[in-house]
Amino acid sequence: MKFSIITPSLNQGKFIEDTILSVVNQNYPDFEHIVMDGGSTDETVSILKKYSHLKWISEKDSGQSNALNNGFRLATGDICAWINSDDYYDEGTFQRVAEYFTQNKDCMFVYGDMTNIDADKNITAKLVGDVMSRSELLKLPDIVRQPSCFWRRSIFDKVGYLNENLHLVFDYEFFLRITKYYTFHYLNKNMCFFRIYADTKTQRLLNKQFHELKRIMLSNFFELKPVSFKFLLGRYLDSIDESRVAHKLLTPLRKGKTQ
């Protein structure tokens, strides 16, 4: 089975070589690695030029979901996945996934465990267990393990591509669409390493992430549970800029008002 791995990138020269090598070091016989770079101005392009097996484009795009869709439309493999330019795969992942798809003909989508690391590759958490389903995703969007997910390319024919109007939680919305038609299968193996550090896009844009999540979850309103609304409230509180909140609370007092 041929794998098509898509990597969106923008100024991740510090990390992208780890990503590239993790694909090469799978020692899997049939794959393509497509890097969609958004016009990086750091050392990214010089790194890409080092690896002749890569298919890559470096030009401005309209966001990560747009870059990924452009990559998936170029894909020719049986199995698709994307790995971001600051994450990387665990050894032997492709072989395990290929064997699972071969042995389970009804499987359209499989995911596994994921290890969270910091910028220096120190392990911070391990996400394990069979947790991803439609009902659980609607309760807790944070259980998405995007780098550990693989699916048959024909899924695009059924559910379409990523929603390019979303810029932070397009993976969550895409996976929710898939669960309308297919059951996620779970493979009890660590698939990947996921970097979390202060400068990641999600950490910098929590407020925008909250609004995207709210839109997606409320579009499935009748399936939501009380725990779903609790999650949304928690994410809203996480997204609040405390300094602005404090300013709004203190301003009436400074003016001699009591409200």
Side-chain angles (χ1 to χ4, degrees):
M1 305 185 78
K2 181 178 180 179
F3 282 73
S4 291
I5 306 300
I6 314 300
T7 294
S9 174
L10 181 63
N11 293 327
Q12 288 287 5
K14 180 179 179 181
F15 300 123
I16 195 170
E17 198 154 22
D18 285 341
T19 309
I20 295 168
L21 291 174
S22 78
V23 175
V24 173
N25 292 339
Q26 293 295 310
N27 292 318
Y28 187 82
D30 198 3
F31 73 93
E32 61 184 0
H33 191 183
I34 303 171
V35 178
M36 304 301 296
D37 181 69
S40 291
T41 56
D42 64 357
E43 66 269 35
T44 296
V45 171
S46 63
I47 293 171
L48 298 179
K49 289 178 178 178
K50 290 169 54 178
Y51 296 95
S52 60
H53 73 284
L54 290 177
K55 300 177 182 178
W56 61 274
I57 296 172
S58 184
E59 61 185 21
K60 188 172 178 58
D61 52 56
S62 61
Q64 191 174 357
S65 50
N66 172 248
L68 283 164
N69 280 342
N70 291 339
F72 284 129
R73 290 187 175 103
L74 295 173
T76 60
D78 308 292
I79 304 301
C80 288
W82 87 78
I83 186 83
N84 291 328
S85 51
D86 49 2
D87 304 329
Y88 57 95
Y89 288 119
D90 204 347
E91 294 179 2
T93 293
F94 290 9
Q95 188 63 46
R96 287 190 288 268
V97 169
E99 289 173 357
Y100 191 89
F101 275 117
T102 300
Q103 295 166 7
N104 297 271
K105 302 296 185 183
D106 63 323
C107 176
M108 296 295 291
F109 185 109
V110 65
Y111 72 100
D113 298 332
M114 182 171 80
T115 300
N116 290 348
I117 56 174
D118 64 18
D120 299 315
K121 298 186 180 181
N122 298 306
I123 294 174
T124 58
K126 293 189 176 185
L127 283 65
V128 301
D130 187 1
V131 297
M132 282 178 58
S133 65
R134 183 171 182 80
S135 61
E136 294 303 313
L137 284 169
L138 285 169
K139 291 178 188 175
L140 187 63
D142 281 351
I143 62 174
V144 167
R145 299 180 191 164
Q146 169 266 313
S148 79
C149 299
F150 297 81
W151 57 92
R152 296 186 193 270
R153 186 157 57 98
S154 56
I155 272 184
F156 292 122
D157 298 329
K158 185 73 172 179
V159 308
Y161 289 86
L162 301 174
N163 184 340
E164 295 186 18
N165 293 318
L166 299 171
H167 298 283
L168 291 165
V169 295
F170 46 83
D171 52 354
Y172 174 60
E173 191 273 340
F174 179 59
F175 294 164
L176 269 182
R177 266 188 282 142
I178 294 172
T179 60
K180 289 182 179 180
Y181 304 99
Y182 306 110
T183 299
F184 288 176
H185 289 227
Y186 167 66
L187 187 54
N188 184 20
K189 294 289 183 180
N190 188 67
M191 302 283 210
C192 59
F193 296 89
F194 179 71
R195 275 194 175 97
I196 300 178
Y197 51 99
D199 198 41
T200 54
K201 184 170 68 172
T202 300
Q203 295 298 311
R204 288 185 285 108
L205 300 171
L206 280 176
N207 187 265
K208 187 172 183 178
Q209 185 200 57
F210 161 73
H211 287 289
E212 289 190 0
L213 283 171
K214 181 180 71 172
R215 191 192 332 164
I216 296 165
M217 294 179 77
L218 292 183
S219 69
N220 298 279
F221 181 84
F222 293 105
E223 294 181 72
L224 298 184
K225 307 295 182 185
V227 67
S228 309
F229 293 102
K230 183 178 179 181
F231 170 85
L232 274 178
L233 176 60
R235 185 49 48 88
Y236 171 70
L237 294 174
D238 288 342
S239 72
I240 290 176
D241 182 335
E242 293 181 359
S243 64
R244 284 193 292 118
V245 172
H247 176 75
K248 289 179 181 178
L249 292 173
L250 291 172
T251 296
L253 298 178
R254 289 169 180 157
K255 294 179 178 178
K257 297 178 181 179
T258 55
Q259 294 182 355

